[in-house]
Amino acid sequence: MPQQMQTIIVFVPFVIMGAAVVALVVSGIYDLIRPLFDNRFVSSDAKKTQDDAHDGARGDASHPMRDVRRSPMRRLADWWRTLRDRNDDDDDEPDEDLDETTSSLLAMLPDATVVVNRHDEVVRAHPSAYTLGIVNDETIANAEVRAAIQLVRESGGRRRFDLTTHTAAPEVVVDNPDALLVGGVSEATRGSVKVQGVERPNWLKVTVGRVGEFVVVLIDDVSEPIRFAGMRDAFITNVSEQLLEPTKALEQLSDSLANDALDAEQVAWNAHQVRSSCDRLDRMVSDLLLLIKAQEPVAPSSANRLSVADLLHDACDATCDRACKFGVSVVTDCDRPLVVNGDREQLTAAVAKLIDNAIVYSPASGTVRVAASPSDDGDHTLIRVIDQGGGIPKDEQTHIFERFYRGANQTARSREGVGLGLAIVKHVALAHHGNVTVWSRPGSGSTFTLELPLAR
């Protein structure tokens, strides 16, 4: 390598280091004399303001070349002050996110959390806050929570209160069920219709407090214990009421035997009443136990993959005797190999309840059709149970999934039920991360659609 090149290579680092030292020295000197500049120019600016006011009073247009005649040092100082003030303004802006320590602490809490900034914008939210109806489109959707946030921001402290929300019932658009009943329907009955879904109440304990510039909302979902308590109370109340019938029938039978009223017909009738009441009580207890099991969500796994065709086959077998008894035929249609995740006992019982319900409300020699197909988006399977009964009035369709609800259009067949079948279907659907909807029109029958996620 030439001697000159070696000299340059050695000399350049020293030049860079020297320039850095000079820059540091200049910066230090300026920091020392900056107060002098600031005081001088503040006084000068005040004097300039007074002169401008005086000139304005005289109608003078001032001096257009005054700013041009400013010294370079004056202009450099003004530029430095502008840059410094801009940095100070940036430092005054509050951080729009929580610090790492607070974020880690909130992540450890078992409750769902929502963080709201000073503009009432949601900067962080647990996914369940959306499903519980607290957050929607990055804003607080519930009026009570908004009021608590405003109160905490103004007066500090914390607010705790109980809150009940409802997961909105989705309006599901499906093909017109009339087109599924018979093949040759008129064009007027084809198309799509909206069907009524089910909604679920959520019982929450909400705590609102302030952390720095932010307001944090803690959401404790206590819905499951409250549902279980409601189920337990309903079980005790309704079982107690249902026990009265077999008890009364047993009392009548024992009176007949004790009074030597051994009329064969009367004894047979009393015995029949006892048997019917016991059968009704047995069905109710079985349904309530199944309803309690359906409160626990079912997690998808490779061990609970189920064929939809097998589920329909098992459900039809379970209702075969009832269909033969009432002279109703059941037709199934499931050509595609659809697979879902779930509990076989619960899903079979849910489909069987829908089929049994359709059989009970169908006329003699009627047909109940059970069909399964994938949804339009390919993510769910739709199990439809279609009957040719009298239909359900519109005002009753929002109540038929409630426990022990009995509609006004009861028949001699349906009086044997206890009003738990459709409640079981609803809770089984929710436990399997699905939904159940109903389409019905008086005089045109009903279509119940059980929607379940397809297995992945």
Side-chain angles (χ1 to χ4, degrees):
M1 180 182 295
Q3 183 68 29
Q4 185 179 6
M5 184 62 68
Q6 292 180 358
T7 303
I8 293 175
I9 293 176
V10 173
F11 182 71
V12 166
F14 287 101
V15 172
I16 296 175
M17 293 174 60
V21 171
V22 171
L24 290 174
V25 171
V26 171
S27 177
I29 294 174
Y30 180 75
D31 287 339
L32 293 175
I33 66 174
R34 184 174 61 182
L36 300 177
F37 279 99
D38 292 342
N39 294 335
R40 175 187 172 189
F41 293 134
V42 166
S43 301
S44 177
D45 289 342
K47 184 177 183 303
K48 175 179 178 296
T49 303
Q50 294 176 357
D51 292 343
D52 289 343
H54 181 66
D55 293 341
R58 293 184 308 167
D60 190 2
S62 189
H63 301 284
M65 297 299 292
R66 179 177 294 169
D67 291 338
V68 177
R69 293 197 298 266
R70 289 187 305 169
S71 66
M73 184 61 70
R74 167 79 179 267
R75 281 180 286 175
L76 178 61
D78 289 343
W79 173 80
W80 180 263
R81 282 195 302 166
T82 303
L83 181 62
R84 185 189 62 193
D85 293 342
R86 185 182 304 167
N87 292 334
D88 291 340
D89 292 340
D90 293 341
D91 292 339
D92 291 339
E93 286 295 323
D95 191 5
E96 290 300 323
D97 201 358
L98 292 173
D99 60 86
E100 186 175 351
T101 302
T102 306
S103 299
S104 301
L105 181 60
L106 292 177
M108 295 173 60
L109 295 176
D111 301 337
T113 59
V114 179
V115 180
V116 182
N117 64 13
R118 61 193 179 94
H119 302 296
D120 286 337
E121 298 171 344
V122 175
V123 298
R124 185 170 302 183
H126 192 275
S128 62
Y130 294 88
T131 58
L132 294 174
I134 301 298
V135 179
N136 183 30
D137 280 342
E138 310 307 325
T139 58
I140 299 297
N142 186 273
E144 290 185 57
V145 178
R146 286 199 304 269
I149 291 174
Q150 187 67 25
L151 192 60
V152 166
R153 182 177 286 117
E154 293 175 354
S155 59
R158 68 174 182 175
R159 297 292 181 271
R160 300 190 66 181
F161 56 94
D162 295 332
L163 181 66
T164 301
T165 64
H166 289 80
T167 301
E171 274 195 335
V172 182
V173 179
V174 299
D175 294 334
N176 192 335
D178 291 344
L180 300 175
L181 290 173
V182 290
V185 295
S186 64
E187 291 298 325
T189 60
R190 294 186 182 273
S192 298
V193 295
K194 293 182 178 180
V195 295
Q196 178 67 45
V198 295
E199 69 175 17
R200 193 172 190 172
N202 309 299
W203 290 275
L204 314 173
K205 290 187 176 296
V206 180
T207 303
V208 181
R210 187 168 180 174
V211 179
E213 295 291 332
F214 300 92
V215 175
V216 177
V217 181
L218 302 180
I219 306 167
D220 183 14
D221 186 3
V222 294
S223 301
E224 293 306 321
I226 292 179
R227 288 192 186 101
F228 185 82
M231 183 68 60
R232 179 194 58 203
D233 295 342
F235 179 85
I236 294 173
T237 302
N238 288 281
V239 168
S240 300
E241 292 176 354
Q242 296 298 327
L243 279 173
L244 295 176
E245 289 189 20
T247 302
K248 184 177 180 181
L250 282 171
E251 183 181 358
Q252 291 175 350
L253 179 59
S254 61
D255 287 345
S256 298
L257 295 175
N259 296 330
D260 292 330
L262 298 179
D263 180 35
E265 245 182 72
Q266 186 65 35
V267 171
W269 170 253
N270 289 337
H272 172 73
Q273 290 296 101
V274 171
R275 185 180 301 109
S276 298
S277 298
C278 290
D279 289 343
R280 178 186 174 90
L281 182 62
D282 181 67
R283 289 196 304 271
M284 188 192 68
V285 172
S286 299
D287 285 351
L288 281 172
L289 292 175
L290 181 58
L291 194 57
I292 291 174
K293 291 180 181 179
Q295 300 301 307
E296 186 70 23
V298 177
S301 69
S302 58
N304 59 12
R305 294 172 64 90
L306 305 173
S307 168
V308 175
D310 291 344
L311 289 176
L312 299 189
H313 183 267
D314 294 345
C316 289
D317 285 347
T319 57
C320 180
D321 293 341
R322 296 268 284 178
C324 294
K325 177 182 177 180
F326 297 130
V328 177
S329 59
V330 179
V331 180
T332 60
D333 180 13
C334 182
D335 296 332
R336 302 189 186 185
L338 304 173
V339 179
V340 296
N341 293 104
D343 182 283
R344 178 178 291 274
E345 178 187 2
Q346 292 185 25
L347 290 178
T348 301
V351 178
K353 292 293 183 185
L354 290 177
I355 297 175
D356 185 75
N357 195 64
I359 291 171
V360 166
Y361 288 97
S362 292
S365 302
T367 300
V368 172
R369 180 175 178 131
V370 185
S373 61
S375 60
D376 292 338
D377 58 13
D379 294 333
H380 296 78
T381 181
L382 305 178
I383 301 175
R384 293 189 177 96
V385 178
I386 307 157
D387 65 55
Q388 297 173 323
I392 305 171
K394 187 69 175 178
D395 58 344
E396 291 187 8
Q397 293 181 19
T398 56
H399 301 288
I400 58 176
F401 294 102
E402 299 173 2
R403 293 188 296 269
F404 299 105
Y405 179 81
R406 307 300 304 277
N409 58 341
Q410 299 301 309
T411 64
R413 301 179 190 174
S414 63
R415 290 193 184 98
E416 299 179 3
V418 294
L420 287 175
L422 293 179
I424 289 174
V425 176
K426 180 186 79 169
H427 285 281
V428 169
L430 294 175
H432 288 76
H433 316 285
N435 189 27
V436 60
T437 58
V438 60
W439 176 92
S440 187
R441 183 185 300 154
S444 301
S446 304
T447 297
F448 287 86
T449 304
L450 179 60
E451 181 180 355
L452 300 170
L454 286 171
R456 296 300 180 187

